[in-house]
Amino acid sequence: MAGSTLRFSLLLAAAFAGRATALWPWPQYIQTSELRYTIFPHSFQFQYHLSSAAQVGCSVLDEAFQRYRDLLFGSAAFRFPHPIEKRHTSEKNSLVVLVVTPGCDQFPSLGSVENYTLTINDEQCLLLSETVWGALRGLETFSQLIWRSPEGTFYVNKTDIEDFPRFPHRGLLLDTSRHYLPLSSILDTLDVMAYNKFNVFHWHLVDDSSFPYESFTFPDLTKKGSYNPATHIYTAQDVKEVIEYARLRGIRVLAEFDTPGHTLSWGPGVPGLLTPCYSGSHPSGTFGPVNPALNNTYEFMSTFFLEISTVFPDFYLHLGGDEVDFTCWKSNPDIQAFMKKKGFGDDFKKLESFYIQTLLDIVSAYGKGYVVWQEVFDNKVKVRPDTIIQVWREEIPVKYVKEMALVTSAGFRALLSAPWYLNHITYGPDWKEIYLVEPLAFEGSPEQKALVIGGEACMWGEYVDSTNLVPRLWPKAGAVAERLWSNKMVSNLDFAFKRLAHFRCELLRRGVQAQPLSVGYCDMEFEQT
Amino acid sequence: MEQRGLGRLRLPGLLALLAALAALAAWSPRVSASLDLSLWPLPVSAMTTPRLLYLSPGNFFFGHSPSSKAGPSCAVLQEAFRRYYAYIFGSYKWHRGYNKIPSEMELQKLEVSVIMDPECDSFPSITSDESYNLLVQGPVATLTANRVWGVLRGLETFSQLIYQDSHGAFTANESNIVDSPRFPHRGILIDTSRHFLPVKTILKTLDAMAFNKFNVLHWHIVDDQSFPYQSITFPELSNKGSYSLSHVYTPNDVHTVVEYARFRGIRVLPEFDSPGHTASWGKGQKDILTPCYHASEPSGTFGPINPILNSTYSFLSKLFKEISTVFPDEFIHLGGDEVDFNCWESNPAVLNFMMNKGFDRNFKKLQSFYMQMVLDMISAMKKRSIVWQEVYDDEGKLIPGTVVQVWKMDNFDNELRNITAAGFPVIISAPWYLDTIHYGQDWREYYSVEPLNFLGTPKQKQLVIGGEACIWGEYVDATNLTPRLWPRASAVGERLWSHQDVTDLRDAYRRLTRHRCRMVGRGIAAQPLFTGYCEHEGRM
């Protein structure tokens, strides 16, 4: 159905080459005209509709109104002089917001409805949405519709938009283990995510390199596993702040605690947790993955994940499960004995499965759902049918397109990341490749396609810290954002380039250090501090 | 400080003396200290002892030796003292009260001595003497150099010797450093045409260059995309040819950059690339570009500079006259790369001109003709020229002393051999195009380049005056310039400064990791080499 309206809307955009081309990601349906309305910053306001379920006091929207007011007119909006000139065009002095379903204090979830309609015509200037989350998306769109003439007057054109996301899970992964990211870097990223209508912050908190998450049950994890236990950590307060900051922007926080591999930094804080590797018949002094042969391990995991389940409100946790190296397990006589006892033979995948199944049972018991990396599926771990599998490997064991088919044909929900490893930089306009990925371009039934809940852009941290994070992320991640939000047919590169180049200048204007797509300039360049 | 027993020093009289002796014992050298050394680029000779000296921010200063030819009236040095005091102590929190260091262990002063005419008010040049000797001992360290330029390099090294120990004390090992650069031309090329770089960003880059002992800012100031240089003689060039009127370098901006660079011992080498790469010139200067033809009609598009008109040369002569005054450096870069002959070929007037000149249809001859005219112009202005390798390749009759810059990666060693065999000085850039990014630790490749690794006599090798790391602007602007440039360009910095034998990648990794944290501490958003952390993370 969307096909015909979309072609229609694309044509319109071409015809009015004006303001609508500033939108990113492109809405599902848009009709806009040359007719424009003036907006006067001093008198303009966001208002709740009388019959809106959300009213003043709704934290999510109250704060959003404030944010968008600042973004549009600057915090100095009230210094704009009263207009004394005669008004030639009609004026819009408010955007009226009508939310149908009550609820301002809950957290966004995978099932949250983000639909909205935006109606700007002679009679009204109305943002209508089912939920506050939809209203947030609509406010962002509204902010992108407002433009400024060279003389400095603000305008918005007569516009009708009906919009909803193509996929419900639109994520961005940050890795705070390879390099620590200051809290402000994370919060700033959440802001830009909201500008791009991303709705999941996948927080790869810990890994081999460091353990910055400060656990109150096991404080030694951070004390001994962080780069610097005084400065390179996330306190409980930091985590709370991230979660609330994200919530206010309609973004879920999906916390990842990757095991049994990628856990070297856990070792110093929890003696006995990691497998001692052997060289010949002696411990070599090095350590491998989590030791799956000990009861203590599972007791630790029970306690630890109880904490995690409480700290992170999202229904889902990410349990990792990727890239488990079997060499160390193989070298360890205790593990070998355990394998024999369990009848696993030489199949270390069975050992891995044993560990992961036990862990999944623990986490399930806390009433949580989980996401895991594709190896868990590849290695045939028996998982609950509602497990979400994240596909990240481009070629191995099969091409990711094929992997998507396999995962969904087994009836699991899938998340796509393989083509969206943004840390892999190359020379030139590499956003195009990222943009042209079609997540459903695999062979499978409509039922299978329906199991693809979305995807994630991943910014792994080996070569990234707060010095280069922002320009590497933006506007490149925007290409993923549009792919996951907009209609499948929105894939014209020229149309995308025009809008994305414009959007990156808008990001600069909003203070985001987004790098250029090609030669050219922005009216407001990034200013060095 | 109590944990080191220094509190007892407050006791009066004999007690105090005894306590001081006890404290001395506590202040005995820490073996790990010398491992903390992370000089970048590595000096020619650096000898350090395990003996530690301590600096107290409240009781340390830079000063001139009585025998120095430079004194407090030397602004280059006074400004440098202020900068380096801030680099050494500024980014850390410190408290007064450090001045309880036993005097035998305290470093109180760095005394600077300039032996020859200091050149305080001169601009640095290709022949500037940058050598220095640094003797770090208590209570007064000495930095000796022939000229201020060597003092600047030595101050940078001195600042790199000082670190905060685990108790927060500013510490340096007793050391003796003798240092001078391997190559006299160590440059960074920035491109302000593909993207405009705000002046602040350029100044920041100059700071970082000084931290890496670079001494040439090659300013590729204009190109096809935009003409941000505001000419006094031809204001229309930037009025019409810049991206916008706020994307312009005013004469004052240029002066600011040149002076800021001078204070850091850095030359500013302006490039006005022609006859190709000049599309933006055409907007503000009528008839300067060649009209391209389609069949027998002008197509409405334009090609390289029109080499057949007298008006072209009188324009260029005025423009370069201005440039030669605005930019004090002895050299002007004239470009001359990637000239596309299609447009010239299409234009009947150009063809006619070629026939009259007897060039046949050899457009390289036309290009040579053009370059020769410009080269002669520059030489008449008592300036020297640098050109991209094509100008040599196309067998232009180059004036002796013209410097050729090699940028093409294919067979660049061969190119170096040929150019030096013909007796021309050469600058290497081919392996150092930092704008072409790769995933991973590509600094290792830049670092492993040996500039003199081509077949040639010692005399030929001497003609290699240095190299430049180039960060072209197609995908680079103020948002990503700094992290892309640093610390990747640092690898080139060491290659051009340090001895040929300094090639150990592991040691380089160790030092460069610390050096990048040092840059971060000084406000340069230098990106990480690999997994890890800095004590003071940048929030850029």
Side-chain angles (χ1 to χ4, degrees), chain A residues 179 184 188 228 232 465-466 468 504 513 515 518 520 525 528, chain B residues 195 201 247 477 479-480 516 527 530 532 534-535 537-539:
Chain A
H179 284 98
S184 57
D188 290 351
N228 179 330
H232 290 59
D465 71 2
S466 63
N468 57 357
R504 102 102 184 170
Q513 198 175 339
Q515 72 182 16
S518 177
E525 299 289 356
Q528 209 81 41
Chain B
H195 284 100
T201 303
H247 292 79
D477 71 1
T479 62
N480 56 1
R516 100 95 185 173
Q527 70 183 15
F530 191 53
C534 299
E535 283 300 340
E537 295 290 352
R539 180 69 199 103

PDB file of all heavy atoms in Angstrom, chain A residues 179 184 188 228 232 465-466 468 504 513 515 518 520 525 528, chain B residues 195 201 247 477 479-480 516 527 530 532 534-535 537-539:
ATOM      1  N   HIS A 179      37.426   1.389  25.010  1.00  0.00           N
ATOM      2  CA  HIS A 179      37.741   2.718  25.517  1.00  0.00           C
ATOM      3  C   HIS A 179      36.592   3.188  26.382  1.00  0.00           C
ATOM      4  O   HIS A 179      35.431   2.962  26.046  1.00  0.00           O
ATOM      5  CB  HIS A 179      37.976   3.715  24.377  1.00  0.00           C
ATOM      6  CG  HIS A 179      39.304   3.568  23.713  1.00  0.00           C
ATOM      7  ND1 HIS A 179      39.471   2.877  22.545  1.00  0.00           N
ATOM      8  CD2 HIS A 179      40.546   3.986  24.087  1.00  0.00           C
ATOM      9  CE1 HIS A 179      40.764   2.884  22.207  1.00  0.00           C
ATOM     10  NE2 HIS A 179      41.438   3.551  23.124  1.00  0.00           N
ATOM     11  N   SER A 184      29.200  12.246  29.469  1.00  0.00           N
ATOM     12  CA  SER A 184      28.672  13.277  28.573  1.00  0.00           C
ATOM     13  C   SER A 184      28.674  12.812  27.117  1.00  0.00           C
ATOM     14  O   SER A 184      27.801  13.182  26.348  1.00  0.00           O
ATOM     15  CB  SER A 184      29.467  14.569  28.730  1.00  0.00           C
ATOM     16  OG  SER A 184      30.830  14.323  28.475  1.00  0.00           O
ATOM     17  N   ASP A 188      25.272  12.833  25.012  1.00  0.00           N
ATOM     18  CA  ASP A 188      25.227  13.551  23.733  1.00  0.00           C
ATOM     19  C   ASP A 188      24.801  12.614  22.606  1.00  0.00           C
ATOM     20  O   ASP A 188      24.061  13.005  21.698  1.00  0.00           O
ATOM     21  CB  ASP A 188      26.595  14.155  23.403  1.00  0.00           C
ATOM     22  CG  ASP A 188      26.951  15.311  24.328  1.00  0.00           C
ATOM     23  OD1 ASP A 188      26.068  15.737  25.101  1.00  0.00           O
ATOM     24  OD2 ASP A 188      28.107  15.782  24.290  1.00  0.00           O
ATOM     25  N   ASN A 228      40.664   2.729  35.454  1.00  0.00           N
ATOM     26  CA  ASN A 228      40.988   3.514  36.638  1.00  0.00           C
ATOM     27  C   ASN A 228      39.721   3.584  37.480  1.00  0.00           C
ATOM     28  O   ASN A 228      38.721   4.148  37.049  1.00  0.00           O
ATOM     29  CB  ASN A 228      41.449   4.918  36.221  1.00  0.00           C
ATOM     30  CG  ASN A 228      41.776   5.785  37.432  1.00  0.00           C
ATOM     31  OD1 ASN A 228      41.195   5.632  38.512  1.00  0.00           O
ATOM     32  ND2 ASN A 228      42.704   6.699  37.253  1.00  0.00           N
ATOM     33  N   HIS A 232      37.439   6.055  35.534  1.00  0.00           N
ATOM     34  CA  HIS A 232      36.949   5.365  34.340  1.00  0.00           C
ATOM     35  C   HIS A 232      35.881   4.338  34.694  1.00  0.00           C
ATOM     36  O   HIS A 232      36.003   3.156  34.384  1.00  0.00           O
ATOM     37  CB  HIS A 232      38.113   4.720  33.590  1.00  0.00           C
ATOM     38  CG  HIS A 232      39.026   5.720  32.936  1.00  0.00           C
ATOM     39  ND1 HIS A 232      39.692   6.688  33.639  1.00  0.00           N
ATOM     40  CD2 HIS A 232      39.362   5.918  31.634  1.00  0.00           C
ATOM     41  CE1 HIS A 232      40.412   7.436  32.801  1.00  0.00           C
ATOM     42  NE2 HIS A 232      40.224   6.995  31.577  1.00  0.00           N
ATOM     43  N   ASP A 465      37.378   6.543  20.806  1.00  0.00           N
ATOM     44  CA  ASP A 465      37.050   7.051  22.130  1.00  0.00           C
ATOM     45  C   ASP A 465      36.415   8.424  21.972  1.00  0.00           C
ATOM     46  O   ASP A 465      35.981   8.780  20.861  1.00  0.00           O
ATOM     47  CB  ASP A 465      38.271   7.053  23.063  1.00  0.00           C
ATOM     48  CG  ASP A 465      39.306   8.105  22.686  1.00  0.00           C
ATOM     49  OD1 ASP A 465      39.073   8.873  21.729  1.00  0.00           O
ATOM     50  OD2 ASP A 465      40.356   8.146  23.347  1.00  0.00           O
ATOM     51  N   SER A 466      36.364   9.183  23.035  1.00  0.00           N
ATOM     52  CA  SER A 466      35.617  10.433  22.953  1.00  0.00           C
ATOM     53  C   SER A 466      36.268  11.444  22.001  1.00  0.00           C
ATOM     54  O   SER A 466      35.637  12.414  21.611  1.00  0.00           O
ATOM     55  CB  SER A 466      35.464  11.054  24.341  1.00  0.00           C
ATOM     56  OG  SER A 466      36.734  11.373  24.864  1.00  0.00           O
ATOM     57  N   ASN A 468      37.166  10.851  18.877  1.00  0.00           N
ATOM     58  CA  ASN A 468      36.729  10.677  17.487  1.00  0.00           C
ATOM     59  C   ASN A 468      35.351  10.047  17.336  1.00  0.00           C
ATOM     60  O   ASN A 468      34.896   9.832  16.212  1.00  0.00           O
ATOM     61  CB  ASN A 468      37.780   9.879  16.698  1.00  0.00           C
ATOM     62  CG  ASN A 468      38.067   8.520  17.311  1.00  0.00           C
ATOM     63  OD1 ASN A 468      37.531   8.179  18.362  1.00  0.00           O
ATOM     64  ND2 ASN A 468      38.906   7.736  16.665  1.00  0.00           N
ATOM     65  N   ARG A 504      23.128  16.890   8.070  1.00  0.00           N
ATOM     66  CA  ARG A 504      24.381  16.984   8.822  1.00  0.00           C
ATOM     67  C   ARG A 504      24.686  18.454   9.152  1.00  0.00           C
ATOM     68  O   ARG A 504      25.216  18.740  10.222  1.00  0.00           O
ATOM     69  CB  ARG A 504      25.511  16.281   8.083  1.00  0.00           C
ATOM     70  CG  ARG A 504      26.479  17.153   7.333  1.00  0.00           C
ATOM     71  CD  ARG A 504      27.813  17.354   8.055  1.00  0.00           C
ATOM     72  NE  ARG A 504      28.601  18.283   7.253  1.00  0.00           N
ATOM     73  CZ  ARG A 504      29.722  18.857   7.603  1.00  0.00           C
ATOM     74  NH1 ARG A 504      30.259  18.595   8.765  1.00  0.00           N
ATOM     75  NH2 ARG A 504      30.336  19.689   6.806  1.00  0.00           N
ATOM     76  N   GLN A 513      29.180  17.369  16.305  1.00  0.00           N
ATOM     77  CA  GLN A 513      30.377  17.391  15.465  1.00  0.00           C
ATOM     78  C   GLN A 513      30.277  16.322  14.362  1.00  0.00           C
ATOM     79  O   GLN A 513      31.084  15.400  14.310  1.00  0.00           O
ATOM     80  CB  GLN A 513      31.570  17.113  16.386  1.00  0.00           C
ATOM     81  CG  GLN A 513      32.907  17.482  15.867  1.00  0.00           C
ATOM     82  CD  GLN A 513      33.955  17.269  16.942  1.00  0.00           C
ATOM     83  OE1 GLN A 513      33.658  17.213  18.137  1.00  0.00           O
ATOM     84  NE2 GLN A 513      35.206  17.127  16.523  1.00  0.00           N
ATOM     85  N   GLN A 515      30.575  14.742  10.712  1.00  0.00           N
ATOM     86  CA  GLN A 515      31.559  14.992   9.652  1.00  0.00           C
ATOM     87  C   GLN A 515      30.904  15.121   8.278  1.00  0.00           C
ATOM     88  O   GLN A 515      29.762  14.736   8.077  1.00  0.00           O
ATOM     89  CB  GLN A 515      32.633  13.905   9.660  1.00  0.00           C
ATOM     90  CG  GLN A 515      32.180  12.553   9.164  1.00  0.00           C
ATOM     91  CD  GLN A 515      33.299  11.512   9.238  1.00  0.00           C
ATOM     92  OE1 GLN A 515      34.310  11.710   9.908  1.00  0.00           O
ATOM     93  NE2 GLN A 515      33.121  10.408   8.557  1.00  0.00           N
ATOM     94  N   SER A 518      30.867  14.886   1.751  1.00  0.00           N
ATOM     95  CA  SER A 518      31.573  15.178   0.513  1.00  0.00           C
ATOM     96  C   SER A 518      32.059  16.624   0.589  1.00  0.00           C
ATOM     97  O   SER A 518      31.942  17.239   1.640  1.00  0.00           O
ATOM     98  CB  SER A 518      30.585  14.977  -0.642  1.00  0.00           C
ATOM     99  OG  SER A 518      31.210  15.328  -1.858  1.00  0.00           O
ATOM    100  N   GLY A 520      32.077  20.662   0.224  1.00  0.00           N
ATOM    101  CA  GLY A 520      30.985  21.594   0.428  1.00  0.00           C
ATOM    102  C   GLY A 520      31.123  22.314   1.751  1.00  0.00           C
ATOM    103  O   GLY A 520      32.200  22.352   2.329  1.00  0.00           O
ATOM    104  N   GLU A 525      29.678  26.374  10.541  1.00  0.00           N
ATOM    105  CA  GLU A 525      30.669  25.299  10.635  1.00  0.00           C
ATOM    106  C   GLU A 525      30.911  24.950  12.090  1.00  0.00           C
ATOM    107  O   GLU A 525      30.606  25.723  12.983  1.00  0.00           O
ATOM    108  CB  GLU A 525      31.996  25.737   9.986  1.00  0.00           C
ATOM    109  CG  GLU A 525      31.904  26.066   8.507  1.00  0.00           C
ATOM    110  CD  GLU A 525      31.702  24.843   7.617  1.00  0.00           C
ATOM    111  OE1 GLU A 525      31.703  23.709   8.141  1.00  0.00           O
ATOM    112  OE2 GLU A 525      31.510  25.024   6.410  1.00  0.00           O
ATOM    113  N   GLN A 528      35.837  25.038  16.840  1.00  0.00           N
ATOM    114  CA  GLN A 528      36.767  24.478  17.796  1.00  0.00           C
ATOM    115  C   GLN A 528      36.600  25.158  19.157  1.00  0.00           C
ATOM    116  O   GLN A 528      36.373  26.347  19.219  1.00  0.00           O
ATOM    117  CB  GLN A 528      38.189  24.766  17.302  1.00  0.00           C
ATOM    118  CG  GLN A 528      39.198  23.764  17.711  1.00  0.00           C
ATOM    119  CD  GLN A 528      39.160  22.554  16.815  1.00  0.00           C
ATOM    120  OE1 GLN A 528      39.012  22.685  15.618  1.00  0.00           O
ATOM    121  NE2 GLN A 528      39.269  21.382  17.389  1.00  0.00           N
TER     122      GLN A 528
ATOM    123  N   HIS B 195      36.940  21.850   1.976  1.00  0.00           N
ATOM    124  CA  HIS B 195      36.168  22.341   3.113  1.00  0.00           C
ATOM    125  C   HIS B 195      36.923  23.499   3.739  1.00  0.00           C
ATOM    126  O   HIS B 195      38.150  23.443   3.877  1.00  0.00           O
ATOM    127  CB  HIS B 195      35.944  21.245   4.157  1.00  0.00           C
ATOM    128  CG  HIS B 195      34.899  20.251   3.763  1.00  0.00           C
ATOM    129  ND1 HIS B 195      35.214  19.029   3.232  1.00  0.00           N
ATOM    130  CD2 HIS B 195      33.548  20.313   3.794  1.00  0.00           C
ATOM    131  CE1 HIS B 195      34.097  18.373   2.960  1.00  0.00           C
ATOM    132  NE2 HIS B 195      33.073  19.128   3.291  1.00  0.00           N
ATOM    133  N   THR B 201      40.710  26.343  14.032  1.00  0.00           N
ATOM    134  CA  THR B 201      41.118  24.973  13.750  1.00  0.00           C
ATOM    135  C   THR B 201      42.546  24.942  13.211  1.00  0.00           C
ATOM    136  O   THR B 201      43.334  24.049  13.536  1.00  0.00           O
ATOM    137  CB  THR B 201      40.152  24.341  12.723  1.00  0.00           C
ATOM    138  OG1 THR B 201      38.834  24.422  13.248  1.00  0.00           O
ATOM    139  CG2 THR B 201      40.501  22.901  12.436  1.00  0.00           C
ATOM    140  N   HIS B 247      32.976  32.212   4.747  1.00  0.00           N
ATOM    141  CA  HIS B 247      33.993  31.177   4.529  1.00  0.00           C
ATOM    142  C   HIS B 247      35.194  31.782   3.812  1.00  0.00           C
ATOM    143  O   HIS B 247      35.568  31.352   2.723  1.00  0.00           O
ATOM    144  CB  HIS B 247      33.411  30.018   3.735  1.00  0.00           C
ATOM    145  CG  HIS B 247      32.382  29.232   4.492  1.00  0.00           C
ATOM    146  ND1 HIS B 247      31.100  29.658   4.650  1.00  0.00           N
ATOM    147  CD2 HIS B 247      32.463  28.044   5.145  1.00  0.00           C
ATOM    148  CE1 HIS B 247      30.421  28.769   5.361  1.00  0.00           C
ATOM    149  NE2 HIS B 247      31.224  27.784   5.678  1.00  0.00           N
ATOM    150  N   ASP B 477      36.685  18.156   7.507  1.00  0.00           N
ATOM    151  CA  ASP B 477      36.533  19.559   7.877  1.00  0.00           C
ATOM    152  C   ASP B 477      36.830  19.690   9.359  1.00  0.00           C
ATOM    153  O   ASP B 477      37.429  18.789   9.956  1.00  0.00           O
ATOM    154  CB  ASP B 477      35.148  20.099   7.470  1.00  0.00           C
ATOM    155  CG  ASP B 477      34.030  19.534   8.313  1.00  0.00           C
ATOM    156  OD1 ASP B 477      34.302  18.734   9.235  1.00  0.00           O
ATOM    157  OD2 ASP B 477      32.861  19.891   8.062  1.00  0.00           O
ATOM    158  N   THR B 479      35.189  19.226  11.828  1.00  0.00           N
ATOM    159  CA  THR B 479      34.597  18.237  12.730  1.00  0.00           C
ATOM    160  C   THR B 479      35.506  17.035  12.949  1.00  0.00           C
ATOM    161  O   THR B 479      35.461  16.407  13.990  1.00  0.00           O
ATOM    162  CB  THR B 479      33.257  17.700  12.192  1.00  0.00           C
ATOM    163  OG1 THR B 479      33.490  17.032  10.934  1.00  0.00           O
ATOM    164  CG2 THR B 479      32.248  18.802  12.005  1.00  0.00           C
ATOM    165  N   ASN B 480      36.293  16.687  11.933  1.00  0.00           N
ATOM    166  CA  ASN B 480      37.075  15.450  12.060  1.00  0.00           C
ATOM    167  C   ASN B 480      38.562  15.624  11.762  1.00  0.00           C
ATOM    168  O   ASN B 480      39.326  14.657  11.819  1.00  0.00           O
ATOM    169  CB  ASN B 480      36.487  14.354  11.167  1.00  0.00           C
ATOM    170  CG  ASN B 480      36.383  14.775   9.698  1.00  0.00           C
ATOM    171  OD1 ASN B 480      36.766  15.887   9.342  1.00  0.00           O
ATOM    172  ND2 ASN B 480      35.875  13.901   8.870  1.00  0.00           N
ATOM    173  N   ARG B 516      50.168  10.565  22.595  1.00  0.00           N
ATOM    174  CA  ARG B 516      48.816  10.974  22.213  1.00  0.00           C
ATOM    175  C   ARG B 516      48.028  11.381  23.472  1.00  0.00           C
ATOM    176  O   ARG B 516      47.259  12.340  23.425  1.00  0.00           O
ATOM    177  CB  ARG B 516      48.142   9.888  21.384  1.00  0.00           C
ATOM    178  CG  ARG B 516      47.183   8.971  22.052  1.00  0.00           C
ATOM    179  CD  ARG B 516      45.725   9.397  21.941  1.00  0.00           C
ATOM    180  NE  ARG B 516      44.952   8.452  22.764  1.00  0.00           N
ATOM    181  CZ  ARG B 516      43.685   8.538  23.044  1.00  0.00           C
ATOM    182  NH1 ARG B 516      42.969   9.506  22.551  1.00  0.00           N
ATOM    183  NH2 ARG B 516      43.097   7.657  23.804  1.00  0.00           N
ATOM    184  N   GLN B 527      43.177  10.911  18.318  1.00  0.00           N
ATOM    185  CA  GLN B 527      42.423   9.669  18.509  1.00  0.00           C
ATOM    186  C   GLN B 527      43.329   8.556  19.034  1.00  0.00           C
ATOM    187  O   GLN B 527      44.542   8.634  18.951  1.00  0.00           O
ATOM    188  CB  GLN B 527      41.730   9.263  17.217  1.00  0.00           C
ATOM    189  CG  GLN B 527      42.667   8.782  16.113  1.00  0.00           C
ATOM    190  CD  GLN B 527      41.916   8.473  14.824  1.00  0.00           C
ATOM    191  OE1 GLN B 527      40.770   8.855  14.640  1.00  0.00           O
ATOM    192  NE2 GLN B 527      42.573   7.774  13.927  1.00  0.00           N
ATOM    193  N   PHE B 530      44.924   2.372  19.771  1.00  0.00           N
ATOM    194  CA  PHE B 530      44.301   1.078  19.982  1.00  0.00           C
ATOM    195  C   PHE B 530      43.632   1.108  21.356  1.00  0.00           C
ATOM    196  O   PHE B 530      43.694   2.105  22.061  1.00  0.00           O
ATOM    197  CB  PHE B 530      45.376  -0.029  19.898  1.00  0.00           C
ATOM    198  CG  PHE B 530      44.810  -1.420  19.846  1.00  0.00           C
ATOM    199  CD1 PHE B 530      43.858  -1.759  18.901  1.00  0.00           C
ATOM    200  CD2 PHE B 530      45.208  -2.389  20.765  1.00  0.00           C
ATOM    201  CE1 PHE B 530      43.315  -3.033  18.865  1.00  0.00           C
ATOM    202  CE2 PHE B 530      44.675  -3.675  20.724  1.00  0.00           C
ATOM    203  CZ  PHE B 530      43.728  -3.988  19.778  1.00  0.00           C
ATOM    204  N   GLY B 532      42.635   0.990  25.104  1.00  0.00           N
ATOM    205  CA  GLY B 532      43.371   1.510  26.247  1.00  0.00           C
ATOM    206  C   GLY B 532      42.739   2.782  26.761  1.00  0.00           C
ATOM    207  O   GLY B 532      41.572   3.041  26.483  1.00  0.00           O
ATOM    208  N   CYS B 534      43.573   7.019  28.572  1.00  0.00           N
ATOM    209  CA  CYS B 534      44.428   8.073  29.088  1.00  0.00           C
ATOM    210  C   CYS B 534      43.914   8.447  30.467  1.00  0.00           C
ATOM    211  O   CYS B 534      42.709   8.396  30.703  1.00  0.00           O
ATOM    212  CB  CYS B 534      44.365   9.320  28.196  1.00  0.00           C
ATOM    213  SG  CYS B 534      44.903   9.064  26.511  1.00  0.00           S
ATOM    214  N   GLU B 535      44.822   8.837  31.336  1.00  0.00           N
ATOM    215  CA  GLU B 535      44.378   9.261  32.668  1.00  0.00           C
ATOM    216  C   GLU B 535      43.397  10.422  32.544  1.00  0.00           C
ATOM    217  O   GLU B 535      42.402  10.485  33.241  1.00  0.00           O
ATOM    218  CB  GLU B 535      45.572   9.673  33.524  1.00  0.00           C
ATOM    219  CG  GLU B 535      46.379   8.506  34.095  1.00  0.00           C
ATOM    220  CD  GLU B 535      45.557   7.581  35.007  1.00  0.00           C
ATOM    221  OE1 GLU B 535      44.503   7.999  35.518  1.00  0.00           O
ATOM    222  OE2 GLU B 535      45.990   6.419  35.188  1.00  0.00           O
ATOM    223  N   GLU B 537      40.967  11.789  30.041  1.00  0.00           N
ATOM    224  CA  GLU B 537      40.315  11.566  28.754  1.00  0.00           C
ATOM    225  C   GLU B 537      39.896  12.902  28.158  1.00  0.00           C
ATOM    226  O   GLU B 537      39.508  13.818  28.875  1.00  0.00           O
ATOM    227  CB  GLU B 537      39.081  10.684  28.912  1.00  0.00           C
ATOM    228  CG  GLU B 537      39.379   9.268  29.367  1.00  0.00           C
ATOM    229  CD  GLU B 537      40.079   8.413  28.311  1.00  0.00           C
ATOM    230  OE1 GLU B 537      40.209   8.865  27.158  1.00  0.00           O
ATOM    231  OE2 GLU B 537      40.518   7.305  28.661  1.00  0.00           O
ATOM    232  N   GLY B 538      39.960  12.954  26.846  1.00  0.00           N
ATOM    233  CA  GLY B 538      39.515  14.172  26.189  1.00  0.00           C
ATOM    234  C   GLY B 538      38.008  14.213  26.143  1.00  0.00           C
ATOM    235  O   GLY B 538      37.354  13.203  25.935  1.00  0.00           O
ATOM    236  N   ARG B 539      37.491  15.376  26.370  1.00  0.00           N
ATOM    237  CA  ARG B 539      36.065  15.565  26.092  1.00  0.00           C
ATOM    238  C   ARG B 539      36.033  16.709  25.103  1.00  0.00           C
ATOM    239  O   ARG B 539      36.024  17.871  25.489  1.00  0.00           O
ATOM    240  CB  ARG B 539      35.323  15.890  27.378  1.00  0.00           C
ATOM    241  CG  ARG B 539      33.840  16.088  27.177  1.00  0.00           C
ATOM    242  CD  ARG B 539      33.144  14.776  26.818  1.00  0.00           C
ATOM    243  NE  ARG B 539      31.843  15.078  26.198  1.00  0.00           N
ATOM    244  CZ  ARG B 539      31.639  14.993  24.897  1.00  0.00           C
ATOM    245  NH1 ARG B 539      32.594  14.617  24.085  1.00  0.00           N
ATOM    246  NH2 ARG B 539      30.457  15.280  24.390  1.00  0.00           N
TER     247      ARG B 539
END
